[in-house]
Amino acid sequence: MNKKNDVLVDGLIKENVSLKKECNLCKESILKVGQKTGYGTVTIFKLGDNKNGWFATLSPRTGGDPEKDFTIQLMPFAHLTHFSQMGYHPELAENYGIAFSKISWAMTKIMAEEEDFKVTSDSRDKATSIATYGKCTNWREKKEHLHIKIFPFRGDIGQPYTVDSSFGKKEVYKDKKTGEEFVKMKPVRKVKISEKRFDYLSGLLISLLD
Ligand SMILES: [Zn+2]
């Protein structure tokens, strides 16, 4: 491996990750469980301390069915911008695993309660599927506080993603005017979850994750 590159990547991993005044997620990280932000997310879970900790919020909007679906966002307290920084403090990586698993468990509990749950489902439609999405990008405008989304994988939100082999198997169409190739996807529109449902979900998640 190239020595110069090693030093540069090391610089990224060891970057200062202390609280940034201008970062929204750093501001959210100091809220207590049950507290709401100005844009409506509520903190549902906290684990660990400033160096090794993670917190999760429930989003007031969903790209799925607002009667059933919801999105949880998992973030480190520290201003990490890259996945590779997670292993710098072993406890940070450990807490990530615990948090991710607990949140997935709580989400499954809620989905199972509302659907006809089976350990192994007979069909895709009836399955209790969960997906996660997160990325780390390091160009200036998009070098953001790490955030990982966890959500029921169904409906319009549950379409095959570019990394899925089923996405690659989609029928390819050609734009008549430009000749550009494309595949069809259903549009995803984020809608607000009703206040009653949101309060119910946040309360339930807080008690399950306590
Ligand atoms: Zn931050």
Side-chain angles (χ1 to χ4, degrees):
M1 294 283 279
N2 181 325
K3 269 259 154 48
K4 188 178 154 241
N5 250 343
D6 274 358
V7 175
L8 289 174
V9 174
D10 240 35
L12 173 66
I13 293 167
K14 290 176 184 164
E15 224 171 24
N16 179 7
V17 295
S18 57
L19 200 128
K20 302 271 180 294
K21 269 187 196 155
E22 66 283 3
C23 173
N24 277 338
L25 299 185
C26 280
K27 279 181 214 155
E28 273 183 41
S29 73
I30 52 176
L31 297 180
K32 293 193 179 90
V33 169
Q35 271 191 300
K36 248 184 199 176
T37 59
Y39 41 96
T41 62
V42 63
T43 303
I44 53 159
F45 176 73
K46 288 185 105 168
L47 174 71
D49 60 29
N50 281 348
K51 265 193 175 164
N52 64 31
W54 291 81
F55 71 106
T57 58
L58 175 67
S59 167
R61 296 159 75 82
T62 172
D65 178 351
E67 308 276 321
K68 289 181 183 173
D69 296 328
F70 50 100
T71 299
I72 292 172
Q73 188 158 280
L74 177 61
M75 297 144 280
F77 292 140
H79 186 87
L80 306 191
T81 62
H82 207 272
F83 296 137
S84 59
Q85 292 171 313
M86 279 162 53
Y88 192 53
H89 295 291
E91 281 181 343
L92 181 71
E94 187 182 322
N95 283 338
Y96 167 71
I98 294 167
F100 181 67
S101 174
K102 279 189 102 168
I103 291 164
S104 304
W105 170 80
M107 186 171 272
T108 306
K109 285 279 276 188
I110 293 174
M111 291 166 77
E113 183 97 354
E114 296 174 357
E115 302 281 329
D116 180 21
F117 178 77
K118 278 185 182 156
V119 172
T120 305
S121 172
D122 298 322
S123 71
R124 187 187 201 275
D125 292 345
K126 288 179 186 159
T128 311
S129 310
I130 290 177
T132 181
Y133 183 72
K135 60 185 181 299
C136 45
T137 50
N138 77 331
W139 70 91
R140 195 165 302 281
E141 298 81 34
K142 267 288 189 187
K143 198 170 166 185
E144 297 175 327
H145 192 129
L146 207 65
H147 52 284
I148 292 154
K149 288 174 176 142
I150 306 163
F151 49 91
F153 187 71
R154 59 188 176 192
D156 292 344
I157 275 288
Q159 300 178 71
Y161 185 56
T162 48
V163 290
D164 291 318
S165 47
S166 45
F167 187 91
K169 287 177 192 151
K170 279 183 165 224
E171 192 174 344
V172 177
Y173 296 86
K174 227 176 206 179
D175 188 292
K176 277 180 189 149
K177 278 183 191 158
T178 63
E180 206 176 356
E181 288 186 323
F182 65 96
V183 294
K184 283 186 184 173
M185 275 188 97
K186 285 196 179 129
V188 174
R189 296 181 182 94
K190 279 200 177 172
V191 285
K192 208 165 178 264
I193 295 169
S194 76
E195 213 165 301
K196 193 179 161 203
R197 170 92 181 147
F198 186 77
D199 289 345
Y200 163 76
L201 278 176
S202 54
L204 189 53
L205 284 163
I206 289 167
S207 69
L208 285 169
L209 293 166
D210 192 15

